[in-house]
């Protein structure tokens, strides 16, 4: 097993590759890191000249032509927002940026955009910013997995990006499955075909989760939540949404889509699973 790590998007990415020789694994990891740097330069709202920064800083009425990566990430972000009834919304970038800096920005003043993914274009129709923070790391993980599988033909790998977005496929050495630990007592086996795991919670950053529908920190939010999906991007965004949504809505989402959830109400409490963890990655990127 070969282990690599890289700093990006204000956190650490850990990459484990099984099989082959060290030079081959190192070359594959190097291309992953190049792709990761490229994605950050396109998707970060804080990078001058990125696609998202250009959209955010453009005057109302401006049409911006997006890269394929930015277009794909936005398409997935808007889809998850629709699935969750707007509990997560990447168009609240200005509100979240103000919140971090202690500046009062009304949550209702969200950005409005006309998005045409077929032509890779987005038009800004009102003041506001896009922030892909709820899905960006997962989207990056999906892209790295895609690279490892093709063209590198890696048969087994594990990626953990900042603890909030994980994807693994294949089998590690001397074991039948990769495992993801949810707590000291609970772990899940990752099917060989691959699975994305998103994690969110209040243990590290405190009450940083905000309901995009109201602009308020949800009352009685769980201590931790996890989402399991065929896409790391979807799992990343849904793990945040599961911190906000009522349990009945989570059950509805898990029944309607190939995703599952796990909720831990408080530190040390029993973890409750909702839905069936996907065992086929046929829909993965």
């Amino acid at each position: 097993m070969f282990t690599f790590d890289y700093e990006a998007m204000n956190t650490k990415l850990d990459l484990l590759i099984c099989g082959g020789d060290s030079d081959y694994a190192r070359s594959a990891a190097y291309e992953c890191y190049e792709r990761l740097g490229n994605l950050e330069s396109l998707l970060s709202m804080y990078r001058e000249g990125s696609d998202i920064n250009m959209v955010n800083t453009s005057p109302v009425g401006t049409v911006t032509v997006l890269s394929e990566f930015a277009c794909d990430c936005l398409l997935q972000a808007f889809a998850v927002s629709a699935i969750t009834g707007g509990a997560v919304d990447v168009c609240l970038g200005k509100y979240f940026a103000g919140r971090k800096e202690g500046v009062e920005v009304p949550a209702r003043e969200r950005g409005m955009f006309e998005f045409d993914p077929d032509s890779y274009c987005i038009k800004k129709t009102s003041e506001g910013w896009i922030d892909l923070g709820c899905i960006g790391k997962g989207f990056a993980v999906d892209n790295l997995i895609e690279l490892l599988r093709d063209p590198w033909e890696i048969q087994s790998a594990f990626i953990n990006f900042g603890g909030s977005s994980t994807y693994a496929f294949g089998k590690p050495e001397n074991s039948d499955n990769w495992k993801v630990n949810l707590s000291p007592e609970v772990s899940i086996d990752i099917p060989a075909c691959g699975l994305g795991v998103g994690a969110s919670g209040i243990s590290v950053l405190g009450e940083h989760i905000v309901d995009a529908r109201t602009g308020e920190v949800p009352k009685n939010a769980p201590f931790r939540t996890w989402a399991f999906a065929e896409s790391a991007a979807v799992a990343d965004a849904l793990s945040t949404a599961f911190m906000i949504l009522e349990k009945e809505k989570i059950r509805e989402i898990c029944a309607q889509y190939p995703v599952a959830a796990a909720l831990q109400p408080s530190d040390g409490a029993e973890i409750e699973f909702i839905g069936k963890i996907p065992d086929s990655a046929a829909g993965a990127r």
Side-chain angles (χ1 to χ4, degrees):
M1 183 185 299
F2 307 101
T3 304
F4 309 91
D5 60 76
Y6 190 71
E7 297 290 332
M9 298 184 184
N10 296 318
T11 190
K12 181 185 176 186
L13 181 139
D14 293 301
L15 168 61
L16 284 68
I17 296 176
C18 290
D21 59 52
S22 60
D23 288 341
Y24 191 83
R26 189 177 298 109
S27 296
Y30 181 77
E31 187 168 352
C32 285
Y33 300 152
E34 282 194 321
R35 172 67 64 85
L36 187 58
N38 183 38
L39 288 171
E40 187 170 15
S41 71
L42 293 171
L43 304 180
S44 173
M45 65 182 291
Y46 300 106
R47 286 287 187 95
E48 185 175 353
S50 75
D51 284 18
I52 302 306
N53 180 264
M54 286 192 294
V55 173
N56 290 347
T57 57
S58 66
V60 173
T62 301
V63 175
T64 301
V65 179
L66 302 168
S67 65
E68 181 179 356
F69 290 126
C71 186
D72 191 12
C73 190
L74 279 170
L75 191 62
Q76 293 187 57
F78 292 150
V80 172
S81 182
I83 288 170
T84 63
V88 289
D89 187 346
V90 297
C91 297
L92 276 176
K94 199 164 191 175
Y95 168 77
F96 286 113
R99 183 180 174 86
K100 289 178 183 177
E101 298 172 4
V103 178
E104 190 70 26
V105 179
R108 296 294 182 184
E109 295 183 11
R110 70 189 65 213
M112 301 294 290
F113 305 89
E114 294 178 2
F115 181 47
D116 182 1
D118 292 331
S119 62
Y120 296 86
C121 290
I122 188 167
K123 181 179 180 180
K124 188 174 187 177
T125 59
S126 74
E127 290 293 347
W129 297 347
I130 291 173
D131 180 356
L132 296 173
C134 70
I135 198 171
K137 291 182 180 64
F139 180 80
V141 169
D142 282 337
N143 271 268
L144 302 190
I145 292 296
E146 187 178 73
L147 264 183
L148 292 172
R149 283 175 159 160
D150 183 17
W152 286 97
E153 298 184 349
I154 300 295
Q155 300 301 309
S156 178
F158 185 105
I159 294 179
N160 183 330
F161 201 175
S164 64
S165 189
T166 299
Y167 194 102
F169 67 96
K171 296 182 179 181
E173 299 166 0
N174 304 317
S175 179
D176 290 335
N177 299 96
W178 291 105
K179 294 182 182 293
V180 173
N181 295 324
L182 307 188
S183 74
E185 299 81 21
V186 179
S187 64
I188 65 160
D189 292 337
I190 303 297
C193 56
L195 183 72
V197 182
S200 191
I202 61 174
S203 59
V204 177
L205 297 177
E207 294 184 336
H208 69 293
I209 304 295
V210 173
D211 188 336
R213 300 167 298 184
T214 64
E216 298 179 358
V217 175
K219 296 179 181 179
N220 304 316
F223 181 69
R224 289 192 185 97
T225 60
W226 295 266
F228 312 98
E230 296 166 351
S231 156
V234 171
D236 190 8
L238 283 180
S239 69
T240 299
F242 292 162
M243 291 287 295
I244 298 164
L245 297 171
E246 294 182 354
K247 196 178 294 185
E248 189 56 40
K249 179 62 176 178
I250 296 174
R251 288 196 183 97
E252 180 184 317
I253 291 171
C254 293
Q256 189 173 357
Y257 300 95
V259 301
L263 315 176
Q264 187 177 37
S266 59
D267 190 12
E270 184 177 351
I271 296 173
E272 177 184 357
F273 287 86
I274 299 175
K276 180 179 182 295
I277 295 178
D279 56 7
S280 171
R285 294 184 70 262

